[in-house]
């Protein structure tokens, strides 16, 4: 069966060509403009010699150009590889090399790291999107405008429904970041089902501050908006005042975010902002405290916060609380249409309901990834007998609602972003004064979790907390480096020589 996800844009363009698809600072693009400009990007990429199935990496914040790249890549029959704009050069190089990306699109203020990564990856061409104050194209790069010089043919490549549309990198719980292959059909089904659950309407305006390079923002915000013909208000970075200003200016009706965003807005809001249009808050990425839900809904009468759960590997939404009447605060909700969810023990046997029966949450259905890009071993480890093993520990109740209680591995979720401790530890071990290192998550009221490093120094070596933090900050994305460093004479070691992180958490 042939199907291309870009069809959702074309169909909504036919329905209302002049309607705003996105607002971004002082720019507004209609459905017609996004459809035509993304067609120009598609034609330009094919003119550069890219062929069906080639990968194009896009390292952009929430700007209109992200939409043009996304739908242009899909229309051309290529594969989108979204990257976090905060990645450092060597991190970018890893993603480019692992995915085999042919081109990188980056943002001017962060172009230096993009260029460094592209050069390390073998000299991949870099196209740079300018923003106010950063209009110059760095040496050795191309202006993004070159990709808009082609003529839109109106063509949408006849890809197969199970062809990979997006390779979305996730740290997961083991090894280096892995690319989850999400197909055209999976992403279409997720935005279709999610939009129905959210109750989205054509007159809705969704605030899009969740990063579009993340599965939550890409699948449950961008795709949902376009699938149902809504409008989105883009905000490149979460800061309370710009977010509140944007919500008021564009009369936003739906806000999707991670718990830390709800927490920040709750404390930053004053009556100076008119948010009376807001009716739904969708929370995901981490568990949202019941007290935050209660306080938020009390401060914003008429707003209901609905919590869901999903992963990069599941194209976003897997379970969801569908309404104020049917939700259970503290739960991630029930499995959505077409998805099966179970709690299993270590032998993959289904556990009975009840908080005393905690096991690993496993899922299968139309939303499950095709596999990890070029990594059959990791795919076989994660997907067994058709069930994807999430690594999250939880339980189900008698009504089929699921609850997350812990993570099976050591993944730290800081402000909605996944931080893999081993990646941080590998950087710590390159510090000339450090002999041993271990990274864990510490509960944090604002961010959910904070990254904490425990280190033991080499004999005779010296280093202080700020030195270690600065060392890490220079070598990794801003959300990853530890904000707290604790020094021990030696880290606790088990009989096999493994560092006992459990003891560090006590």
């Amino acid at each position: 069966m042939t199907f291309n996800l870009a069809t959702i844009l074309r169909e909504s363009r036919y329905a209302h060509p002049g309607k705003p698809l996105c607002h971004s600072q002082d720019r507004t693009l209609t459905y017609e403009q996004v459809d035509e400009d993304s067609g120009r990007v598609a034609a330009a990429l094919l003119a550069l010699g890219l062929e069906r199935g080639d990968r194009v990496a896009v390292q952009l914040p929430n700007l209109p150009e992200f939409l043009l790249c996304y739908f242009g890549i899909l229309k051309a029959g290529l594969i989108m590889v979204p990257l976090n704009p905060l990645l450092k050069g060597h991190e970018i190089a890893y993603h480019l090399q692992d995915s085999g990306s042919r081109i990188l699109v980056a943002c001017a203020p962060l172009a230096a790291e993009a260029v460094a990564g592209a050069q390390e990856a073998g000299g991949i061409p870099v196209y740079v999107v300018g923003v106010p104050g950063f209009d110059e194209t760095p040496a050795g790069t191309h202006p993004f405008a070159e990709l808009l010089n082609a003529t839109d043919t109106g063509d949408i490549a006849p890809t197969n429904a199970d062809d990979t549309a997006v390779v979305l990198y996730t740290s997961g719980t083991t090894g280096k970041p892995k690319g989850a292959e999400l197909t055209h059909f999976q992403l279409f089904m997720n935005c279709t089902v999610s939009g129905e659950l959210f109750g989205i309407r054509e007159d809705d305006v969704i605030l899009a501050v969740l990063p579009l390079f993340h599965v939550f923002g890409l699948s449950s915000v961008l795709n949902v908006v376009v699938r149902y013909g809504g409008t989105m208000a883009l905000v490149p970075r979460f800061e309370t005042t710009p977010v509140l200003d944007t919500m008021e200016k564009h009369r936003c009706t739906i806000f999707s975010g991670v718990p830390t965003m709800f927490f920040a807005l709750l404390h930053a809001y004053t009556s100076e902002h008119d948010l009376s249009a807001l009716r739904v808050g969708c929370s995901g990425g981490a568990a949202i405290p019941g007290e935050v839900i209660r306080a938020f809904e009390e401060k914003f009468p008429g707003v209901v916060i609905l919590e869901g759960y999903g992963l990069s590997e599941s194209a976003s939404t897997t379970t969801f609380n569908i309404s104020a009447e049917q939700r259970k605060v503290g739960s991630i909700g029930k499995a959505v249409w077409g998805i099966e969810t179970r709690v299993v023990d270590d032998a993959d046997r289904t556990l009975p309901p009840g908080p005393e029966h905690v096991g690993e949450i496993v899922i299968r259905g139309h939303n499950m990834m095709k596999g990890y890009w070029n990594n059959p071993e990791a795919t076989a480890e994660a997907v067994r007998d058709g069930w994807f093993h999430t690594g999250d520990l939880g339980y189900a109740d008698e009504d089929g609602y699921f609850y997350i209680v812990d993570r099976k591995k050591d993944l730290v979720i800081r402000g909605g972003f996944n931080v893999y401790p081993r990646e941080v530890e590998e950087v710590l071990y390159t510090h000339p004064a450090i002999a041993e290192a271990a990274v864990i998550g510490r509960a944090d009221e604002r961010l959910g979790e904070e990254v904490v490093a425990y280190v033991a120094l080499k004999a005779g070596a010296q280093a202080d907390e700020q030195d270690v933090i600065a060392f890490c900050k220079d070598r990794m994305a801003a959300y990853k480096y530890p904000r707290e460093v604790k020094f021990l004479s030696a880290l606790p070691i088990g009989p096999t020589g493994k560092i006992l992180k459990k003891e560090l958490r006590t």
Side-chain angles (χ1 to χ4, degrees):
M1 179 179 72
T2 60
F3 173 73
N4 189 310
L5 183 63
T7 302
I8 64 175
L9 173 62
R10 181 61 51 80
E11 293 295 332
S12 290
R13 180 256 176 97
Y14 285 155
H16 29 61
K19 181 179 180 178
L21 192 166
C22 67
H23 302 293
S24 177
Q25 296 176 330
D26 59 347
R27 288 191 290 167
T28 293
L29 296 185
T30 66
Y31 273 89
E32 183 174 57
Q33 288 174 299
V34 173
D35 190 31
E36 293 181 355
D37 284 351
S38 62
R40 294 186 178 93
V41 172
L45 292 173
L46 293 174
L48 290 173
L50 274 68
E51 300 178 348
R52 180 170 169 170
D54 281 344
R55 278 74 62 205
V56 177
V58 177
Q59 191 185 16
L60 294 176
N62 291 7
L63 297 172
E65 286 78 9
F66 187 102
L67 280 66
L68 305 185
C69 288
Y70 180 45
F71 288 108
I73 290 166
L74 295 178
K75 286 180 178 181
L78 308 173
I79 298 173
M80 168 89 150
V81 182
L83 298 181
N84 189 333
L86 298 179
L87 294 176
K88 299 294 186 179
H90 71 279
E91 296 171 313
I92 297 168
Y94 167 77
H95 289 82
L96 295 176
Q97 291 170 326
D98 188 73
S99 65
S101 292
R102 297 277 307 276
I103 286 175
L104 172 63
V105 179
C107 187
L110 304 169
E113 295 290 348
V115 170
Q119 290 176 343
E120 184 180 335
I124 293 172
V126 179
Y127 287 78
V128 177
V129 175
V131 298
F134 294 90
D135 294 325
E136 293 186 8
T137 303
T141 66
H142 305 268
F144 180 77
E146 288 185 9
L147 298 180
L148 295 174
N149 288 335
T151 300
D152 174 25
T153 63
D155 293 338
I156 296 179
T159 52
N160 293 321
D162 62 351
D163 282 349
T164 301
V166 175
V167 174
L168 198 63
Y169 276 84
T170 173
S171 294
T173 54
T174 57
K176 292 183 177 180
K178 303 181 291 291
E181 292 188 67
L182 304 179
T183 70
H184 289 266
F185 178 74
Q186 289 165 328
L187 289 165
F188 173 77
M189 286 302 298
N190 186 83
C191 68
T192 299
V193 173
S194 296
E196 291 178 352
L197 292 172
F198 300 166
I200 189 171
R201 307 185 302 238
E202 283 193 358
D203 61 348
D204 273 325
V205 180
I206 298 183
L207 184 82
V209 68
L210 283 167
L212 298 180
F213 63 78
H214 189 278
V215 71
F216 194 178
L218 181 71
S219 190
S220 294
V221 177
L222 172 55
N223 287 350
V224 167
V225 167
V226 176
R227 168 69 176 83
Y228 287 93
T231 299
M232 60 198 304
L234 295 169
V235 179
R237 177 182 178 183
F238 182 81
E239 295 174 306
T240 54
T241 298
V243 165
L244 290 169
D245 289 344
T246 301
M247 292 173 75
E248 179 179 35
K249 177 180 179 180
H250 296 294
R251 303 288 294 165
C252 292
T253 57
I254 299 177
F255 171 64
S256 293
V258 296
T260 53
M261 294 179 180
F262 285 94
F263 183 83
L265 292 179
L266 177 63
H267 291 277
Y269 170 78
T270 68
S271 58
E272 294 177 2
H273 288 95
D274 177 9
L275 303 188
S276 58
L278 190 64
R279 63 183 182 85
V280 177
C282 297
S283 180
I288 184 168
E291 178 60 24
V292 174
I293 293 178
R294 184 200 63 75
F296 198 94
E297 293 180 352
E298 184 177 287
K299 179 167 280 191
F300 303 99
V303 176
V304 58
I305 296 179
L306 303 175
E307 184 175 7
Y309 166 79
L311 311 96
S312 298
E313 293 89 344
S314 69
S316 194
T317 311
T318 296
T319 64
F320 195 68
N321 284 279
I322 64 173
S323 68
E325 293 75 25
Q326 299 184 54
R327 74 178 177 186
K328 291 190 179 183
V329 173
S331 165
I332 56 173
K334 292 182 175 182
V336 303
W337 185 90
I339 307 302
E340 295 178 78
T341 306
R342 296 191 297 152
V343 178
V344 301
D345 62 15
D346 290 339
D348 289 349
R349 295 171 298 202
T350 302
L351 293 171
E356 69 275 18
H357 299 294
V358 172
E360 183 176 13
I361 293 177
V362 298
I363 59 174
R364 71 178 178 186
H366 57 68
N367 67 338
M368 193 172 70
M369 68 172 180
K370 192 174 181 179
Y372 290 117
W373 178 262
N374 283 341
N375 198 335
E377 296 82 7
T379 302
E381 181 181 351
V383 183
R384 302 194 291 274
D385 295 325
W387 291 90
F388 175 71
H389 288 245
T390 67
D392 287 313
L393 297 175
Y395 66 91
D397 67 15
E398 295 284 354
D399 299 320
Y401 287 78
F402 290 85
Y403 300 77
I404 300 289
V405 299
D406 205 344
R407 286 181 295 279
K408 198 169 185 179
K409 299 294 183 179
D410 296 323
L411 182 67
V412 178
I413 300 180
R414 181 183 187 274
F417 289 105
N418 290 353
V419 179
Y420 180 57
R422 180 178 172 183
E423 191 176 4
V424 184
E425 289 161 4
E426 288 177 351
V427 172
L428 287 166
Y429 274 110
T430 65
H431 190 290
I434 292 177
E436 297 175 308
V439 172
I440 65 170
R442 170 180 58 74
D444 183 88
E445 184 179 31
R446 185 173 66 90
L447 295 169
E449 287 185 303
E450 188 55 274
V451 182
V452 179
Y454 284 81
V455 301
L457 300 180
K458 297 176 182 177
Q462 292 184 343
D464 59 26
E465 182 177 37
Q466 292 307 313
D467 168 58
V468 174
I469 291 175
F471 182 87
C472 294
K473 186 176 181 180
D474 287 341
R475 290 163 174 79
M476 61 183 59
Y479 64 91
K480 295 181 182 178
Y481 70 85
R483 266 55 174 191
E484 184 177 351
V485 179
K486 295 181 178 293
F487 294 84
L488 301 176
S489 57
L491 300 188
I493 301 294
T496 62
K498 184 178 179 180
I499 295 175
L500 301 177
K501 292 188 177 181
K502 183 178 180 179
E503 294 189 13
L504 297 176
R505 294 190 180 99
T506 58

